[in-house]
Amino acid sequence: MEFGKDGLVGKLGNIKYNHKIDITQHPNLNFSNKDYIEPDQLVISAIGRQKQAKMVDVKTGYEEGNIDLDQLDNYLKLMNNPKSFSTDFDGAEEISLEYLFLPGKKAGDAKKAAKNAKAEILKFIKDTITDKKQREKIIQNLEVKYIGEDGLLKTL
């Protein structure tokens, strides 16, 4: 691995930090009041011939698991339109989303936060995405993880 312009570059893929995805060129997708979307990390990997991208959103100290629904809606629009953002995602054919909950000093229950957030995310997806195939694909490409009390990464 070596450092590239946007982050780490390796044989299996790239990790981009502070990468802003310009959404101003896509007014038809009705993004919320923003000019760009900036996931905490953007991981792009090549598995076989297919490139995949993963947006990672890290949350710390969110015991109630509250999620910014406008941000989630923007992420879902990106997931549904990978070809429209092929330069940002290095030509990835599929985009997934991972929320990672870390324990905070005051609100330290990362597992509770992750469970609450996952319930809120799934409800939002069910309420906003009417096409069943599209909804199933998004749910398949969604992960909610947390750091357990034992310090290990867990997936819900």
Side-chain angles (χ1 to χ4, degrees):
M1 283 238 158
E2 61 187 56
F3 284 100
K5 182 181 93 176
D6 291 326
L8 295 174
V9 179
K11 291 183 181 182
L12 296 178
N14 303 329
I15 300 175
K16 297 181 179 186
Y17 303 96
N18 301 320
H19 181 75
K20 294 180 180 179
I21 300 166
D22 181 5
I23 57 177
T24 59
Q25 304 302 311
H26 304 281
N28 58 317
L29 296 178
N30 298 317
F31 284 100
S32 67
N33 306 328
K34 296 185 179 186
D35 293 331
Y36 63 88
I37 299 172
E38 186 175 5
D40 293 324
Q41 290 181 8
L42 182 57
V43 180
I44 300 166
S45 59
I47 300 173
R49 293 183 175 184
Q50 184 179 14
K51 271 192 170 180
Q52 297 177 332
K54 178 182 284 194
M55 297 177 291
V56 181
D57 197 342
V58 181
K59 304 289 186 190
T60 304
Y62 285 75
E63 188 163 337
E64 296 305 314
N66 298 332
I67 294 293
D68 179 342
L69 296 179
D70 285 338
Q71 182 184 48
L72 173 60
D73 189 45
N74 285 340
Y75 286 153
L76 297 178
K77 288 172 183 168
L78 290 173
M79 292 171 74
N80 282 327
N81 298 283
K83 290 181 182 173
S84 298
F85 300 93
S86 62
T87 23
D88 291 295
F89 296 107
D90 293 350
E93 298 163 22
E94 196 168 271
I95 303 170
S96 62
L97 174 61
E98 176 182 309
Y99 281 98
L100 173 60
F101 286 84
L102 305 177
K105 291 182 181 180
K106 294 180 182 176
D109 193 346
K111 181 178 182 179
K112 179 180 175 185
K115 280 185 174 183
N116 290 341
K118 186 169 185 180
E120 186 177 358
I121 291 165
L122 292 176
K123 181 182 182 323
F124 183 82
I125 290 170
K126 182 181 174 192
D127 292 347
T128 58
I129 299 176
T130 55
D131 182 86
K132 185 179 178 184
K133 276 187 166 182
Q134 191 179 32
R135 188 172 53 240
E136 288 173 354
K137 184 175 181 178
I138 283 178
I139 291 171
Q140 178 184 346
N141 288 315
L142 170 74
E143 293 181 293
V144 179
K145 298 181 179 183
Y146 66 96
I147 301 295
E149 291 180 6
D150 56 4
L152 298 176
L153 182 64
K154 316 263 181 174
T155 304
L156 292 178

